Amino acid sequence: SQTIHQWPATLVQPVGSPLSLECTVEGTSNPNLYWYRQAAGRGLQLLFYSVGIGQISSEVPQNLSASRPQDRQFILSSKKLLLSDSGFYLCAWSKRDRVIDTQYFGPGTRLTVL
Amino acid sequence: SQQGEEDPQALSIQEGENATMNCSYKTSINNLQWYRQNSGRGLVHLILIRSNEREKHSGRLRVTLDTSKKSSSLLITASRAADTASYFCAHLLSGSARQLTFGSGTQLTVLP
């Protein structure tokens, strides 16, 4: 069966510090991978998605970046965090089909920037 | 914005009652999905309805889709306290194979 992991689960960082959130998927190959951010009590905002190693599409201009160094690894980074980067970050994957029917979400990382 | 909208934003009902949540969207879709999120957790896929379908059932869940009105509804019958969660609709835009657009969610509280 497939599983998706995210870490850390929670993170408190000062403004201006760097960020690295990691997401890994097990039990599947060639997944589409996604990073979302969710503000408190709000819906999901798609940040990045990737259809393959080294292939990243950015949906929202910001000070965040994403990388996919391996097929089942997706990393969200920042060189300098802003207060507005606080939120709940969710990684998800979907099958590499022509049309996706389901996204599978990780447990999320709660980021607080102080 | 292409984001869907759910209503109501919050819904509080007694255990055993039915809960109905609605979702509207703005563009042509390929399919529409409903997800559930328990507080502080990831989302879990509940049910998918394709653009050529009008109604679908899964256990206590019933989803309808009206493409002429660009709307969908999720009905949870005989609700339980464990159904307390946020519910999101998400749609796959026509011509977009890989990106789901999520609504803002409905917070459902089922009181025991």
Side-chain angles (χ1 to χ4, degrees), chain A residues 56-78:
Chain A
I56 309 294
S57 295
S58 175
E59 292 299 303
V60 182
Q62 61 220 320
N63 69 321
L64 299 172
S65 62
S67 62
R68 184 170 178 175
Q70 299 179 42
D71 180 49
R72 290 171 291 177
Q73 184 183 30
F74 205 22
I75 297 172
L76 183 68
S77 304
S78 174

Side-chain angles (χ1 to χ4, degrees), chain A residues 44 46 59, chain B residues 1-5 23-29 32 70 89-94 96 99-104:
Chain A
L44 276 68
L46 179 63
E59 292 299 303
Chain B
S1 166
Q2 295 176 331
Q3 188 173 25
E5 295 292 333
C23 168
S24 62
Y25 56 91
K26 297 181 180 178
T27 61
S28 296
I29 62 170
L32 188 139
K70 291 184 168 55
C89 68
H91 58 272
L92 186 69
L93 298 176
S94 294
S96 171
Q99 299 178 58
L100 288 178
T101 301
F102 284 83
S104 52

Side-chain angles (χ1 to χ4, degrees), chain A residues 11-21 64 76-81 111 113:
Chain A
L11 190 60
V12 180
Q13 292 284 94
V15 169
S17 63
L19 173 74
S20 181
L21 303 182
L64 299 172
L76 183 68
S77 304
S78 174
K79 292 182 179 178
K80 289 185 177 181
L81 284 169
L111 172 65
V113 182

